[in-house]
Each structure stands twice: as structure tokens, then as C-alpha cells.
């Protein structure tokens, strides 16, 4: 039966859900409060430079392929993918770095050259990681998080210990060199928790990294948003921007309308891809399934301080993706998760999309994105942003042995206050809820409201979790659940 479905927000999960719901034959309309679509995956254009404001890593290409295949399409029908070679680079000191190749045999050789015998250990570790990937990404993450029994399969029964161990201990049992340990711990940071709080099973992220490689969609990650928008419109979805949602109306225990820019818009089904905490705040208090105390006690993935910088020259001694792990990883992690505060010596990440994509910057110039992970909810003032830019750019110059400060044409910043203002993000988090053991699968906030009929949720605070590929999957899961509940 055809239903009127109203979707709040236009990020990856909302766009994915809209496509599946339209394919099912429903009338689907998306309402986005900002002037452009994409949620956190928007673009900044300035003086001939183009930056992805949000996600910059394209991992798990098979998930994108599976999404488009559900509509008899391919990613290449909409955008061009470039495999990065090398995948990325990690700095540990002045001119002291490890370059990660675009293929596993070379990475194994790199490991062996740093720690004798570690190549063979890495090959065995990756075999297990691939096995976990096949179980998780091809099966488990496509389950709606309704029951703990979803996690019980013949395959997971064999790996039960991996749900109670942690990545950090596993890696340290096999490898001794601190550089190799940090490189292997890096991918699970995308899951939003410390490696010591991340179940061993999540080693599948290492296969996503070393096994499947790092990619770049031509013209940036926003190309994927535009592709999904085009697909959605081809399927009949209507999209409205500048449409702020002020309330979700409930009548007799059923969601039946949203208030958009002061006007009541009726719908048979309401689906929110906005921040889950914010979405529930649009309901009268009695209809909220999760209390303020519940949210206060969740482990949230970090927020970020981001800088988008235009340089008037090409930057040397860096790759498209470059990580700076020249300070203590554990100390910075404690400053995010244990005793939240601004880190004295932050790790940071830099992306130079113009190394790969000529459209990212004018000829002879460079576009740079710098990211510092932070605890959500921190005080965010201009003076602190400036202080931290000075910290990382000075270190950047020292580590890469070049002067760049005097080549800055402009810089824009984005931090906790912006995540709250632009995305209604709880405490300004950047990535949603962390994937810890107690926040996995059925233990995450539900796709379907527990208190209101015809109200559903999607995105990084529900299943499967943070990241772009999980967002696509979340959109599919909620669309299937809606169809099942009609």
C-alpha cells in the first residue's frame, strides 16, 4: 500500500532510505534544514578551492556497489573512483614516516622491514580480519538490531571470544613495534572508540584498510551525495532544502505530521535521519524513548576541530591522506574518552585532495583539510581554535621540513559549536555513538520508536553505527523495517 513518507535530513542514511522507500512504491519527501543537501557531507567552495566539509575517506567500496546494485546501477554510472596509491602516510617524527601501499603484499613487506617477522604475522592477522569482514559486512550489519539472536550464527559462534577481547590487546600480542601497533589501531578509530574498548571482532576494519584499499571519488565525497540525490530523484523522491523541522506531531500514539518552517506537513510515516537525540527532542517529552540521562551515559565518538586551508603553492612531503602520530596516542585518547579536555599535544590528520583531484584547487595551489579529534561537549571559542591551528601547523612544518604558514591564502574552521548549529549534533559529536561492546547491534538506539507508531530513525546513532558505509546500510535497514511494519 502506497504511503506518504516524510524524511527529516538529507545525509547518507536519509538519502539511502529515500531510494529504497521510493523503490517500494511510496511517495517520499525529504526535508533538509540547510541550504544544501548531504548532512555532514557537504562542501565548502571558496576562491576556486573545493573542500569536503565532512567525510574524506572512501573505504569499503563493496558497500557502495551493493547499494547501487539494489537499483540495478553501479557507482560508475554516477561518479569516477580513483584508488589512492599509496593509500596514506603516517608521520612519527621529523621526516620519519611509514607509507602504506595500495596492496597487501607491499604492506606486508613494509611491516617486515620495520619489525623482522611481522610480515608473516600481519598476513595471518589479515586472514582473520578478512574472515570477520565477510561475516560482518556481508551479513551481520544488514540486520536491524532488534534481537541479540541476530548476532548468533554458526560463524559468530566460532568467534565468540572475539566479542569479549579487544583490538588493542590482540595487536600487542602479535606486534612489538609501536609504529606498527599505531598503524593497526588507526582503522578502528573510525568506529569512534579507543582500541582498548573495541571488540576484537572489529579487526574487519583492518581488512577494509589493507585489503580493500583507500579510494577517492573524483570531485570529492560530495560526488556520492550528488549521485544518491540523482538516483533518489530518478525514483521519484522530492527534496526540499531550507526546511527546518520544528516538531513531530503525535496523535493517539501515532506520528502523523511534522511542522516545517511553521507549517504542518502530514505524513503516514515519519523517518528521521537527523541526530537521534535531537529528533526525539522534536517530540513531546512523554513520547521520547530515551532520557537525557541515557544520552549522558553513552560513549560518544569524538567531535573534531577542522580547518579548511587554501595554500598558494603545492605542499611537499605529504600524500593525499597523511596522519601525524608524532605524539602520545594514549594520552590524546584519554583526553577524549576518560577525562574530556582539550589535548595538550593532539594527534591530527591532514588531507590534500588536490594531490589527486585537480578540481580541488587552482593550478599550482593546494587544498588542505586538517582534523584534530576532540571530546564532544568541550568549550569552543575562536581563541582556542587559533591556538590549536598554530600548534598543528608549526608541527606540520617541522615534521615535513617545509614552510607553509606564509603560503596560506585563507583558512576556515569548523568545531563543536558548528556541529551543534549546523547538524543539531548532541554535544557537537562528529561521528555518532561509538561502537563499543555495550553499544553494538541490538544495544544501540532502535530504528523504530518504542513509544510512537509510524516513527522511525536512521543514521549513525542507531544501527549499524558510525561511518559512511554503515549510513548507507542504516538507510536500507530502516526502509525494510518500515515495509515490514505496514
Amino acid at each position: 500500500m502506497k504511503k506518504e513518507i516524510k524524511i527529516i535530513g538529507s545525509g547518507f542514511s536519509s538519502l539511502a532510505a529515500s531510494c529504497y522507500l521510493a523503490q517500494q512504491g511510496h511517495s517520499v519527501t525529504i526535508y533538509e534544514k540547510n541550504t544544501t543537501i548531504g548532512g555532514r557531507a557537504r562542501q565548502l567552495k571558496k576562491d576556486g578551492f573545493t573542500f569536503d566539509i565532512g567525510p574524506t575517506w572512501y573505504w569499503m567500496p563493496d558497500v557502495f556497489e551493493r547499494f547501487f546494485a539494489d537499483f540495478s546501477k553501479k557507482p560508475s554510472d554516477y561518479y569516477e573512483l580513483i584508488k589512492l596509491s599509496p593509500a596514506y602516510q603516517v608521520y612519527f617524527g621529523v621526516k620519519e614516516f611509514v607509507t602504506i601501499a595500495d596492496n597487501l603484499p607491499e604492506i606486508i613487506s613494509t611491516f617486515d622491514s620495520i619489525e623482522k617477522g611481522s610480515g608473516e604475522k600481519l598476513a595471518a592477522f589479515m586472514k582473520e580480519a578478512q574472515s570477520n569482514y565477510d561475516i560482518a559486512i556481508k551479513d551481520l550489519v544488514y540486520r536491524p538490531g532488534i534481537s541479540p539472536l541476530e548476532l548468533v550464527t554458526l560463524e559468530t559462534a566460532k568467534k565468540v571470544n572475539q566479542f569479549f577481547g579487544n583490538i588493542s590487546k590482540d595487536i600487542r600480542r602479535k606486534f612489538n613495534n609501536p609504529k606498527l601497533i599505531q598503524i593497526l589501531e588507526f582503522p578502528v578509530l573510525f568506529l569512534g572508540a579507543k582500541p582498548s574498548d573495541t571488540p576484537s571482532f572489529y579487526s574487519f576494519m583492518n581488512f577494509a584498510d589493507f585489503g580493500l584499499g583507500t579510494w577517492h571519488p573524483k570531485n570529492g565525497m560530495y560526488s556520492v551525495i550528488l549521485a544518491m540525490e540523482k538516483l533518489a530523484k530518478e525514483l521519484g523522491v522530492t527534496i526540499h532544502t531550507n526546511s527546518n523541522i520544528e516538531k513531530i506531531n503525535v496523535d493517539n500514539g501515532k506520528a502523523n505530521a511534522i511542522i516545517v518552517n511553521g507549517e504542518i506537513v502530514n505524513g503516514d510515516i515519519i523517518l528521521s535521519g537527523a541526530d537521534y537525540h535531537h529528533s526525539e527532542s522534536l517530540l513531546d517529552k512523554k513520547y521520547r524513548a530515551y532520557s537525557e540521562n541515557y544520552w549522558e551515559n553513552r560513549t560518544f565518538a569524538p567531535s573534531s576541530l577542522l580547518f579548511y586551508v587554501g595554500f598558494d603553492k603545492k605542499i611537499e612531503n605529504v600524500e593525499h591522506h597523511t596522519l601525524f602520530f608524532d605524539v602520545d596516542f594514549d594520552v590524546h585518547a584519554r583526553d577524549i574518552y576518560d577525562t574530556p579536555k582539550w589535548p595538550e599535544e593532539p594527534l591530527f590528520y591532514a588531507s590534500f585532495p588536490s594531490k589527486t583531484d585537480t578540481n580541488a584547487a587552482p593550478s599550482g595551489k593546494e587544498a588542505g583539510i586538517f582534523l584534530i579529534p576532540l571530546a564532544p561537549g568541550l568549550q569552543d571559542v575562536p581563541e582556542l581554535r587559533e591556538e590549536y591551528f598554530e600548534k598543528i601547523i608549526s608541527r606540520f612544518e617541522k615534521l615535513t621540513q617545509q614552510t607553509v604558514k606564509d603560503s596560506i591564502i585563507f583558512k576556515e574552521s569548523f568545531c563543536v559549536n558548528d556541529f551543534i548549529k549546523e547538524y543539531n549534533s548532541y554535544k557537537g559529536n562528529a561521528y555518532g555513538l561509538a561502537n563499543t561492546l555495550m553499544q553494538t547491534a541490538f544495544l544501540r538506539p532502535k530504528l523504530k520508536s518504542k513509544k510512537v507508531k509510524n516513527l522511525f530513525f536512521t543514521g549513525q546513532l542507531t544501527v549499524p553505527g558510525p561511518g559512511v558505509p554503515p549510513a548507507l546500510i542504516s538507510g536500507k535497514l530502516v526502509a525494510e523495517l518500515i515495509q515490514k511494519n505496514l
Side-chain angles (χ1 to χ4, degrees):
M1 188 188 300
K2 182 177 180 179
K3 298 288 185 182
E4 284 282 338
I5 300 179
K6 309 302 179 186
I7 300 180
I8 303 170
S10 65
F12 281 108
S13 57
S14 291
L15 286 170
S18 78
C19 292
Y20 287 109
L21 292 165
Q23 186 187 49
Q24 290 165 10
H26 303 298
S27 174
V28 183
T29 308
I30 289 175
Y31 297 89
E32 166 58 54
K33 84 175 188 74
N34 291 313
T35 55
T36 57
I37 65 161
R40 294 165 198 244
R42 294 183 298 155
Q43 271 189 336
L44 167 66
K45 292 187 179 233
K46 184 170 181 176
D47 300 346
F49 293 82
T50 301
F51 306 88
D52 280 314
I53 291 178
T56 54
W57 292 77
Y58 191 105
W59 271 7
M60 303 184 186
D62 52 322
V63 174
F64 295 86
E65 288 162 13
R66 186 165 168 176
F67 168 75
F68 284 105
D70 284 341
F71 305 94
S72 301
K73 303 285 187 181
K74 303 186 294 294
S76 59
D77 293 332
Y78 297 96
Y79 55 89
E80 180 187 338
L81 264 187
I82 303 158
K83 191 173 190 186
L84 297 185
S85 181
Y88 56 91
Q89 187 178 49
V90 188
Y91 268 90
F92 295 98
V94 178
K95 280 196 169 180
E96 184 187 351
F97 56 82
V98 175
T99 301
I100 301 300
D102 69 347
N103 64 88
L104 186 54
E106 280 189 60
I107 298 169
I108 286 170
S109 297
T110 298
F111 268 55
D112 223 34
S113 69
I114 295 169
E115 180 184 312
K116 197 69 182 166
S118 66
E120 192 177 328
K121 291 176 186 173
L122 178 63
F125 180 76
M126 289 303 295
K127 194 173 178 183
E128 184 72 30
Q130 182 171 1
S131 167
N132 289 351
Y133 189 91
D134 288 344
I135 294 166
I137 304 303
K138 294 177 182 176
D139 183 15
L140 291 187
V141 295
Y142 285 91
R143 301 185 181 200
I146 293 170
S147 162
L149 295 177
E150 292 171 9
L151 297 178
V152 181
T153 68
L154 284 173
E155 289 79 12
T156 57
K158 297 171 193 169
K159 294 174 179 281
V160 67
N161 291 339
Q162 292 198 35
F163 287 92
F164 298 99
N166 70 67
I167 286 282
S168 184
K169 281 184 182 174
D170 284 0
I171 289 170
R172 282 166 170 75
R173 271 197 290 267
K174 295 176 175 71
F175 303 92
N176 298 313
N177 186 281
K179 292 177 189 170
L180 301 186
I181 289 168
Q182 285 199 349
I183 289 168
L184 286 167
E185 286 185 337
F186 153 66
V188 303
L189 298 180
F190 283 98
L191 301 169
K194 289 191 297 186
S196 57
D197 290 334
T198 303
S200 306
F201 184 71
Y202 284 100
S203 68
F204 64 72
M205 291 297 293
N206 294 103
F207 179 73
D209 178 4
F210 291 171
L212 298 175
T214 303
W215 302 74
H216 174 76
K218 192 172 181 185
N219 299 322
M221 288 293 286
Y222 201 65
S223 296
V224 187
I225 289 291
L226 295 177
M228 294 176 74
E229 177 193 32
K230 187 176 180 189
L231 174 61
K233 288 181 174 177
E234 288 168 354
L235 292 162
V237 176
T238 302
I239 301 175
H240 297 295
T241 53
N242 298 305
S243 298
N244 187 45
I245 311 300
E246 293 149 11
K247 189 169 173 43
I248 299 171
N249 277 1
V250 179
D251 184 34
N252 288 325
K254 287 184 181 179
N256 66 351
I258 50 177
I259 298 179
V260 185
N261 295 338
E263 292 185 16
I264 294 175
V265 177
N266 294 313
D268 300 310
I269 303 281
I270 309 299
L271 167 60
S272 182
D275 176 276
Y276 206 121
H277 171 270
H278 170 72
S279 301
E280 284 217 314
S281 77
L282 300 173
L283 294 162
D284 291 338
K285 200 166 185 178
K286 64 182 176 180
Y287 295 124
R288 298 173 194 171
Y290 301 99
S291 66
E292 287 300 316
N293 188 53
Y294 171 88
W295 294 113
E296 187 64 40
N297 287 293
R298 295 310 93 190
T299 300
F300 272 82
S303 186
S304 299
L305 170 55
L306 290 135
F307 296 99
Y308 310 100
V309 187
F311 294 98
D312 68 5
K313 68 176 184 182
K314 301 304 284 184
I315 305 299
E316 299 174 352
N317 305 327
V318 290
E319 297 296 342
H320 181 130
H321 293 303
T322 306
L323 305 165
F324 294 86
F325 286 177
D326 56 306
V327 296
D328 195 311
F329 181 101
D330 293 330
V331 171
H332 190 166
R334 283 199 294 272
D335 291 342
I336 294 173
Y337 296 102
D338 301 336
T339 50
K341 63 178 183 178
W342 281 83
E344 282 185 35
E345 295 294 339
L347 288 84
F348 67 99
Y349 151 68
S351 173
F352 301 94
S354 42
K355 293 280 177 197
T356 303
D357 204 328
T358 54
N359 296 325
S363 179
K365 299 179 182 179
E366 202 88 85
I369 301 167
F370 296 82
L371 182 153
I372 302 172
L374 296 173
L378 294 182
Q379 179 194 32
D380 171 19
V381 293
E383 294 78 11
L384 277 169
R385 295 190 189 194
E386 281 302 309
E387 178 188 335
Y388 276 79
F389 183 74
E390 181 59 35
K391 278 190 183 205
I392 63 168
I393 208 71
S394 296
R395 269 173 47 208
F396 180 86
E397 288 187 324
K398 181 182 176 184
L399 292 164
T400 64
Q401 296 286 280
Q402 63 189 311
T403 302
V404 299
K405 288 181 193 174
D406 56 3
S407 296
I408 294 173
I409 304 168
F410 66 83
K411 76 172 188 294
E412 302 276 345
S413 64
F414 200 96
C415 197
V416 172
N417 291 348
D418 301 300
F419 280 103
I420 294 169
K421 176 174 172 282
E422 298 293 321
Y423 312 128
N424 295 307
S425 169
Y426 182 74
K427 291 189 175 181
N429 79 83
Y431 308 105
L433 277 177
N435 259 342
T436 61
L437 178 62
M438 298 309 294
Q439 293 181 176
T440 291
F442 66 96
L443 296 171
R444 297 178 72 80
K446 302 301 181 189
L447 293 166
K448 183 178 184 290
S449 172
K450 293 190 280 188
K451 290 193 173 182
V452 180
K453 290 181 180 176
N454 300 342
L455 175 61
F456 296 82
F457 303 89
T458 187
Q460 56 190 6
L461 271 76
T462 181
V463 291
V468 177
L472 298 185
I473 295 166
S474 187
K476 178 174 186 171
L477 292 175
V478 78
E480 290 174 345
L481 195 59
I482 289 170
Q483 190 68 9
K484 190 178 175 183
N485 277 265
L486 289 180

